[in-house]
Amino acid sequence: MTGPRTAPAPFWRAPLSARPWQEQGYLVAQLVTAPLGFAWFVLTVALIPSLAITVVGLFVGGGLVVGARWWGTMQRWLASRMLGREVPAPPPWRRPRGSFRTLGSMLGDVTGWRALGFMVAQFVLALIAFPVSITVLAVGLGGVTYWYWGQWLPAEQDADGVWHRGSQILPGVWIEGVGNLIAVAAGLALLLLWPLVTGAFARLFGVLAADLLGPTASAVRLAEVTRTRSQAVQDADGRLRQIERDLHDGTQARLVAISMQLGEARDALAAPGADPQALELVTQAHDSTKEAMVELREISRGIRPASLDAGLVLALETLAARGTVPVTVDADPDLHASPEIEAIAYYCVAELLTNVAKHAQASGAYVTLAADDGMLRIRVRDDGVGGSAVTSPGHEGGTGLAGLRQRLAAVDGVLGIDSPAGGPTVVDVTLPLTVDTER
Amino acid sequence: MTEPIAAPVRVAVAEDSVILRDGLVSLLTRRGFAVVAAAGDGESLLAALRALPESEAPQVAVLDVRMPPSHTDEGLRTALRLREERPEIGVLLFSQYVETRFAARLFGGDARGMGYLLKDRVSEVNDFVDAIGRVAHGQTVLDPEVVTQLFGAASSDAGLARLTPREREVLTLMAQGRSNGAIAAELVLSAGAVEKHVSSIFAKLSLPPDAGSHRRVLAVLRHLAPGS
């Protein structure tokens, strides 16, 4: 929000610079907001045990815990605007599926509880910081100008009967005459001290905000690991696509050209009077070139189907049309995910349809795709015999579902399977639409 | 092939692989075609065609589906534009893999002088050359694989499910643009038997029975194409 703060002014000019005034303003804001935050904390702690009788009540308590994150957001904004201290935001709260899991995640939200902790610490600190800093400022200003306003103080009589015009700070000690000079000096000293006081409290609040309102060290590390993993997934997909394109542009094109020439040569040798042995050789070469083309196309499809370049839904329709079991694909043709997600989704569906063809004895399969809330949801349903289970990859009779799970896990995707004996089998795959590097 | 002094069929080629493009050009030239334009992508081909005088305009354009810049469906888009701007030019699209939706879009309009073949078919030189000739003369050419996949995509259709295996064979050949006579020869049937099968197919699929040869390819395609 605010740019990097300028270098601190030399101490004799510090009271006239903007910084201590901003910091004092921040301390005022803290004094105003701290009681509200403390009330929030007390309410949360008091309500959770008493509302625990009803599940709905627990949701209210959980809402207060998660809601404390909002307080953290507001406080990070204050620190950024008024102190120039940037505290990175912790990872956002994500609602898991299922209401009891949601409840657990709300009540156990570490970020929310840390924000509640901030509320308590903020309350204590604000109650000290504001009075101390404002006293130093007020007494300092009063002292510096005492020589002027002291003359309007009412005259007072001391115990010894002498009349004085000035403040009595200790019994028998009056500030008057030379004392005026001392008062000005003391006021000046306090004014010079004031920026140090506000600065110290601002730093304390800054440390508090960074420790309690920022991401934890493990969260920072998790974000870093997620980011590098996403990068690895993207890199791998990019390399595969490059290999596939090189094969298509180079080797495959060359093979097609060779087979074309061999086809011509064969036709020329089929003319009467040509060498029958040469015809046989060229025919063989032609046939094996065609086989090589088919093999290479299969390999290339295994690396990364070219149809994926035209979009996931189109690629799946192509895949569905090739299968032995009739497959219906139901999806919005404009549905799009990032390339590496589309590749993983494609292989999942391909693997699942292979399973259907191999094990399910189904008469049809249905693939539905939908994108909502940043997630790609895929359902593969068949009307076969059921009884599928996740077994380890390569396991005898295994369906490769464990391998799929591993592959999905690389992008935080999940696979759920419902396959009672007797069927039908429903497999749900959920994965993020993009491998975002922000989480 | 027996007409002695027929003018050569004029062909334009768009293919991004230089090896394949050169191969195609020399093959077509040897087989008596006149290659009037050869380009590496759809835009260049369209530009080259605009530069040609009317008398040298190609009768057929042979297009690879997957070309630069995006390597997805440039060929298809070029084909559709060509159809719009120069409907008199036949279009033969060829592709590495069969894409039913591409086929559906390509044949969604006027299917006359349209073809869609797998790249591998090029190796059967005679069939390929024959296909170009058919497209040049306004006929429709569909790869057998495309037809099979269209059947696969539409297999849940109740009308198709009622077809007998023999009727399915006849329908496949019809979708490839074959005439009744050609179908009879292919399946070793009498012409009358083929006619009986055809009218039975049209009745089962609720298609107009009086459709001519191209219109009936179209009707069959419309019926099979997904999403139509």
Side-chain angles (χ1 to χ4, degrees):
Chain A
M1 305 248 178
T2 49
R5 302 229 295 172
T6 47
F11 78 94
W12 65 88
R13 283 218 310 268
L16 298 174
S17 67
R19 177 187 289 223
W21 295 98
Q22 277 179 344
E23 286 165 349
Q24 187 65 55
Y26 176 78
L27 295 181
V28 173
Q30 287 304 313
L31 186 75
V32 173
T33 57
L36 300 172
F38 190 65
W40 190 321
F41 169 78
V42 172
L43 194 69
T44 309
V45 174
L47 276 184
I48 289 178
S50 50
L51 287 177
I53 318 164
T54 63
V55 177
V56 177
L58 275 178
F59 270 101
V60 174
L64 284 169
V65 174
V66 175
R69 285 166 164 265
W70 170 80
W71 189 263
T73 308
M74 191 263 283
Q75 288 294 335
R76 281 196 304 275
W77 180 79
L78 271 183
S80 155
R81 287 306 290 262
M82 304 187 79
L83 302 181
R85 175 147 193 158
E86 302 296 339
V87 178
W93 182 72
R94 279 167 196 272
R95 198 171 94 81
R97 285 170 97 72
S99 30
F100 278 98
R101 248 181 283 170
T102 302
L103 184 60
S105 150
M106 283 165 97
L107 287 173
D109 181 29
V110 175
T111 307
W113 281 109
R114 286 166 76 227
L116 286 164
F118 178 85
M119 289 169 176
V120 177
Q122 174 203 12
F123 183 67
V124 174
L125 191 57
L127 284 190
I128 299 166
F130 180 76
V132 170
S133 62
I134 205 71
T135 304
V136 172
L137 176 64
V139 174
L141 284 174
V144 170
T145 52
Y146 181 76
W147 55 271
Y148 181 68
W149 56 266
Q151 58 186 309
W152 285 295
L153 287 171
E156 280 178 82
Q157 199 176 24
D158 200 357
D160 55 8
V162 182
W163 286 87
H164 299 274
R165 187 176 291 276
S167 303
Q168 185 186 26
I169 53 166
L170 287 170
V173 180
W174 297 84
I175 308 174
E176 54 187 339
V178 185
N180 278 344
L181 287 179
I182 297 171
V184 169
L188 206 57
L190 281 176
L191 276 186
L192 291 174
L193 180 67
W194 172 66
L196 301 177
V197 173
T198 57
F201 283 123
R203 263 195 301 284
L204 271 175
F205 270 109
V207 168
L208 216 55
D211 283 358
L212 290 175
L213 301 180
T216 56
S218 64
V220 170
R221 178 158 165 66
L222 183 64
E224 175 64 15
V225 169
T226 309
R227 199 185 58 76
T228 49
R229 189 190 59 176
S230 302
Q231 193 65 47
V233 170
Q234 276 171 343
D235 288 352
D237 185 65
R239 264 201 304 278
L240 288 182
R241 195 195 320 216
Q242 191 54 50
I243 293 171
E244 192 275 331
R245 192 160 287 176
D246 289 348
L247 275 182
H248 171 260
D249 293 345
T251 319
Q252 275 176 323
R254 205 172 280 270
L255 268 180
V256 173
I258 292 172
S259 76
M260 197 166 73
Q261 284 156 357
L262 283 173
E264 261 194 295
R266 186 196 59 186
D267 291 352
L269 287 171
D275 182 356
Q277 214 171 355
L279 173 64
E280 199 188 320
L281 281 173
V282 170
T283 306
Q284 275 175 12
H286 187 229
D287 289 345
S288 36
T289 311
K290 284 194 287 184
E291 279 163 31
M293 273 159 59
V294 173
E295 278 169 24
L296 188 63
R297 199 169 55 211
E298 288 305 318
I299 290 170
S300 157
R301 184 148 50 206
I303 293 169
R304 192 179 193 282
S307 54
L308 261 180
D309 284 347
L312 176 62
V313 178
L314 215 102
L316 287 180
E317 281 175 1
T318 306
L319 173 74
R322 226 178 44 234
T324 48
V325 179
V327 179
T328 309
V329 179
D330 184 6
D332 177 3
D334 294 327
L335 184 144
H336 278 297
S338 65
E340 51 287 339
I341 292 294
E342 293 201 337
I344 292 172
Y346 179 89
Y347 280 108
C348 277
V349 175
E351 181 74 32
L352 291 170
L353 290 180
T354 308
N355 280 347
V356 170
K358 266 203 273 189
H359 307 287
Q361 301 161 35
S363 68
Y366 312 89
V367 181
T368 49
L369 286 95
D372 72 282
D373 199 16
M375 302 301 269
L376 175 62
R377 297 184 205 285
I378 305 171
R379 170 167 287 189
V380 178
R381 185 161 54 91
D382 69 62
D383 56 4
V385 294
S388 280
V390 178
T391 48
S392 49
H395 184 267
E396 187 68 32
T399 48
L401 287 173
L404 272 191
R405 270 206 176 142
Q406 274 175 12
R407 194 155 186 165
L408 281 167
V411 291
D412 288 333
V414 286
L415 180 143
I417 180 162
D418 177 33
S419 182
T425 301
V426 177
V427 181
D428 281 310
V429 174
T430 309
L431 61 175
L433 281 172
T434 51
V435 284
D436 60 327
T437 49
E438 299 295 312
R439 289 181 308 149
Chain B
M1 298 288 143
T2 45
E3 295 128 90
I5 1 166
V9 172
R10 292 181 302 278
V11 186
V13 178
E15 159 64 54
D16 59 322
S17 157
V18 179
I19 309 160
L20 198 49
R21 185 168 71 229
D22 290 352
L24 278 173
V25 170
S26 59
L27 167 81
L28 292 173
T29 312
R30 275 198 299 277
R31 291 295 172 122
F33 291 89
V35 180
V36 293
D41 60 85
E43 280 303 317
S44 322
L45 184 81
L46 289 174
L49 292 191
R50 276 185 216 112
L52 282 177
E54 192 70 27
S55 59
E56 283 175 41
Q59 289 151 281
V60 192
V62 180
L63 306 167
D64 187 359
V65 169
R66 198 181 172 198
M67 283 188 294
S70 82
H71 293 273
T72 52
D73 60 351
E74 278 74 16
L76 176 70
R77 270 184 263 161
T78 309
L80 295 174
R81 272 183 63 188
L82 209 52
R83 183 97 308 205
E84 209 168 279
E85 291 173 18
R86 309 283 288 274
E88 74 280 4
I89 300 177
V91 173
L92 179 65
L93 204 63
F94 70 137
S95 165
Q96 197 82 49
Y97 57 95
V98 175
E99 178 42 67
T100 44
R101 179 145 357 129
F102 285 179
R105 274 175 64 189
L106 192 63
F107 295 98
D110 189 353
R112 264 177 308 171
M114 281 285 201
Y116 188 65
L117 280 184
L118 267 187
K119 247 183 193 176
D120 294 11
R121 308 294 172 212
V122 178
S123 55
E124 295 303 329
V125 181
N126 284 333
D127 292 353
F128 178 63
V129 166
D130 183 50
I132 294 183
R134 274 161 64 195
V135 172
H137 291 105
Q139 295 182 23
T140 307
V141 174
L142 250 186
D143 197 282
E145 187 86 357
V146 179
V147 179
T148 316
Q149 292 209 1
L150 284 172
F151 275 131
S155 55
S156 52
D157 188 281
L160 278 177
R162 287 203 305 273
L163 297 184
T164 65
R166 182 58 107 184
E167 284 166 355
R168 268 174 175 265
E169 279 177 346
V170 173
L171 182 61
T172 307
L173 291 170
M174 258 164 63
Q176 287 172 33
R178 307 286 183 93
S179 68
N180 278 5
I183 295 174
E186 176 88 27
L187 298 179
V188 201
L189 289 169
S190 72
V194 172
E195 256 168 55
K196 253 179 67 190
H197 284 309
V198 169
S199 52
S200 163
I201 291 167
F202 274 58
K204 283 180 182 174
L205 300 185
S206 336
L207 294 171
D210 59 336
S213 130
H214 303 300
R215 299 229 332 262
R216 80 178 187 182
V217 174
L218 203 68
V220 173
L221 275 173
R222 285 240 174 89
H223 186 79
L224 294 178
S228 58

